[in-house]
Amino acid sequence: MIHNEMSRRRLLGLGLGLGAAATLTLAGCGGGDSSGPAAGGNGGKDYTGPKVDLKLWNGFTGGDGEIFKTLVNQFNSEHQNIAVSVATYQWEDYYNKLPSAASSGNGPDIAVMHMDQLATFAARGVISELDDVAKTLQLTEADFAPTVWQGGIYNNKRYGIPLDMHPLGFYYNKSVMEKAGLDPNKPPTTRDDFTAALTELKKSGVQGFWISPFQFTGGMSFYSLIYQFGGSLFDAEVNKATFNADPAIEACTWMVDMIKQGHSPANVGQDAEYLALKSGKNAFTFNGIWQINDLKKSPGVQWGVAPLPQIGSKPAAWANSHNFTIVKQRANNANKVAASKVFINWLSQHSLDWAKGGQVPARKAVRESAEFKALTEVSALAPELDYAAFPPATPGLGEVITTFYNSFNEAALGKKSPKQALDDGVAKANKQLEDNRKKYGS
């Protein structure tokens, strides 16, 4: 059960890639303007037209999926003229299915989509503009972290309404810390604190911080540390990869040194660092906010969660965001489009309930509410939104991010030095970025 949950979560991050299906331009989809007039077509404020059946696709296959379905059922009970049915897929299957399904007329009306995928699907004509929904909801950049808000825009038009953000967090095993003579209620917050804690753990026979060579979670940790050390994955225009610059080499070297110094085993298996935390074999791990609900199911584990410690010169943490989108159809149905916007509006207003699934609500007002702060573990990671390192809104970026993660994998496994692995990765990534500019016309 745990393995299935973590396998699913490995697909939540960057680098999902759309495969061959993503190269399909959906010229036949959405012949009309999806924001055109309809019964109650006022950007999602209400819907007074005939009853419509809406299909909604998502990738919430774990515990958050049950919460999501509960919210959909509540919506259906409150809207007699709108019936939303939910289809759930593994994320990698989902993103590969969507373009061809939409092109053939078998796609969903509403699709939940990660922020790093919006620009690709917008560029390929799969999803519709949602500027009127944002206007109706009276949402502006001030309601969100700027990166979350800007991530839903492609070519100056909005294609996604942010629902949440899910960052990397710092999990610690209190029992292991206590056995090593550390204060279990004071997890390290700085590089010096972290190093000192690992030294004490090593003295007690514990390798305290296991480095996974895989995207989940070593690659995402490396992503975070690049920004902590003052670097970035790409230049401002996302024309060139920069993850071989000095800050990235320094961050990668620091992580590889965790292995060389004996704080981590070599060749850590997928998810082994998280399972080791739960079984008391290590003390610290960087992992996604989605693990909170899994840990709550393990009453025998004494654990805590906090923002990532600051290893570099500034705080930073990998993060992504779920967005609602409306899929273009071969035969555009204005009533379905209007009803879809009502659903997006409604779910956005109920994002506090969604937070219970282990997500930080995108809306600032919800994050600042007493009800959200009462969700102790989830709200503990909300401060990371101020410095979260989100993926840029650029078409075709998935394969490039995969190259980034593969470069880290080679360094973490000792196949190449950090510099060589990152230099080779950047050379390949720059060719991919050039190909994307030709493919997407940007």
Side-chain angles (χ1 to χ4, degrees):
M1 189 71 172
I2 292 172
H3 182 269
N4 289 339
E5 170 72 1
M6 291 187 296
S7 297
R8 177 180 74 92
R9 290 308 186 181
R10 287 201 291 271
L11 305 170
L12 283 176
L14 299 171
L16 290 166
L18 300 179
T23 64
L24 176 66
T25 301
L26 302 181
C29 293
D33 180 1
S34 67
S35 61
N42 51 14
K45 191 170 293 184
D46 54 44
Y47 174 70
T48 57
K51 184 172 182 178
V52 292
D53 295 314
L54 303 178
K55 292 185 291 183
L56 187 156
W57 284 15
N58 72 92
F60 302 132
T61 57
D64 52 3
E66 293 305 311
I67 290 175
F68 188 75
K69 289 176 183 176
T70 298
L71 288 169
V72 171
N73 289 337
Q74 181 181 342
F75 172 86
N76 286 339
S77 69
E78 295 177 8
H79 297 78
Q80 299 305 310
N81 57 348
I82 306 174
V84 179
S85 61
V86 176
T88 305
Y89 302 94
Q90 294 288 346
W91 285 111
E92 85 278 27
D93 295 332
Y94 172 98
Y95 286 123
N96 281 317
K97 284 175 179 285
L98 185 55
S100 57
S103 180
S104 66
N106 296 313
D109 301 287
I110 307 167
V112 179
M113 195 170 290
H114 289 90
M115 189 173 75
D116 58 310
Q117 301 293 348
L118 290 172
T120 301
F121 282 97
R124 290 301 176 188
V126 180
I127 55 179
S128 301
E129 299 168 21
L130 294 176
D131 288 295
D132 64 324
V133 178
K135 183 177 180 181
T136 296
L137 292 173
Q138 297 181 323
L139 299 178
T140 67
E141 186 172 305
D143 297 305
F144 302 91
T147 315
V148 173
W149 185 248
Q150 293 297 325
I153 296 173
Y154 175 69
N155 279 353
N156 298 316
K157 296 183 184 298
R158 173 157 300 282
Y159 288 89
I161 300 297
L163 175 62
D164 62 44
M165 61 87 73
H166 39 274
L168 215 60
F170 178 45
Y171 294 87
Y172 50 98
N173 187 307
K174 294 183 177 183
S175 299
V176 176
M177 290 178 67
E178 195 167 20
K179 288 178 183 177
L182 302 171
D183 188 337
N185 297 311
K186 292 185 178 179
T189 59
T190 68
R191 181 171 180 168
D192 288 345
D193 291 344
F194 196 77
T195 301
L198 290 178
T199 299
E200 293 305 311
L201 288 161
K202 190 175 180 181
K203 288 178 183 177
S204 71
V206 174
Q207 292 178 297
F209 183 53
W210 292 22
I211 300 297
S212 165
F214 301 100
Q215 172 185 343
F216 279 75
T217 56
M220 295 159 71
S221 301
F222 175 44
Y223 184 114
S224 303
L225 292 182
I226 288 178
Y227 287 87
Q228 285 202 10
F229 279 88
S232 62
L233 267 64
F234 307 101
D235 63 11
E237 293 76 27
V238 199
N239 287 328
K240 296 290 183 182
T242 56
F243 57 82
N244 66 338
D246 288 346
I249 294 173
E250 186 179 1
C252 190
T253 300
W254 183 85
M255 294 189 71
V256 171
D257 283 350
M258 291 289 105
I259 302 170
K260 292 181 178 179
Q261 294 167 5
H263 299 304
S264 169
N267 303 324
V268 171
Q270 180 69 69
D271 295 324
E273 75 285 5
Y274 177 65
L275 294 174
L277 180 91
K278 293 181 69 174
S279 62
K281 294 180 180 178
N282 73 12
F284 306 135
T285 188
F286 295 179
N287 213 306
I289 192 172
W290 48 83
Q291 299 294 21
I292 287 174
N293 282 346
D294 179 65
L295 283 165
K296 284 184 174 181
K297 298 174 185 175
S298 303
V301 181
Q302 301 300 310
W303 62 280
V305 63
L308 298 188
Q310 186 177 321
I311 305 301
S313 60
K314 61 181 183 178
W318 172 95
N320 210 324
S321 169
H322 293 116
N323 279 245
F324 280 120
T325 68
I326 291 180
V327 179
K328 290 186 177 181
Q329 307 294 332
R330 290 175 63 89
N332 193 34
N333 183 317
N335 286 319
K336 284 193 172 188
V337 171
S340 296
K341 293 175 180 179
V342 168
F343 174 80
I344 293 173
N345 184 344
W346 186 91
L347 213 298
S348 178
Q349 293 173 346
H350 288 74
S351 57
L352 175 64
D353 297 317
W354 175 235
K356 297 173 184 176
Q359 314 284 343
V360 177
R363 297 181 76 161
K364 182 178 179 181
V366 178
R367 291 197 311 275
E368 293 179 346
S369 69
E371 292 84 356
F372 174 67
K373 292 176 181 177
L375 302 175
T376 309
E377 294 87 2
V378 174
S379 63
L381 298 186
E384 291 186 320
L385 187 56
D386 292 336
Y387 49 77
F390 288 94
T394 303
L397 203 63
E399 292 179 0
V400 189
I401 297 293
T402 296
T403 296
F404 163 75
Y405 286 130
N406 288 342
S407 300
F408 173 75
N409 180 276
E410 292 181 323
L413 291 175
K415 295 179 179 179
K416 297 177 181 178
S417 69
K419 186 177 188 308
Q420 188 64 57
L422 300 181
D423 282 344
D424 292 348
V426 163
K428 181 177 180 180
N430 283 336
K431 179 63 167 61
Q432 291 173 317
L433 289 170
E434 182 181 354
D435 290 344
N436 281 342
R437 287 192 292 275
K438 294 175 182 177
K439 182 189 297 184
Y440 295 102
S442 59

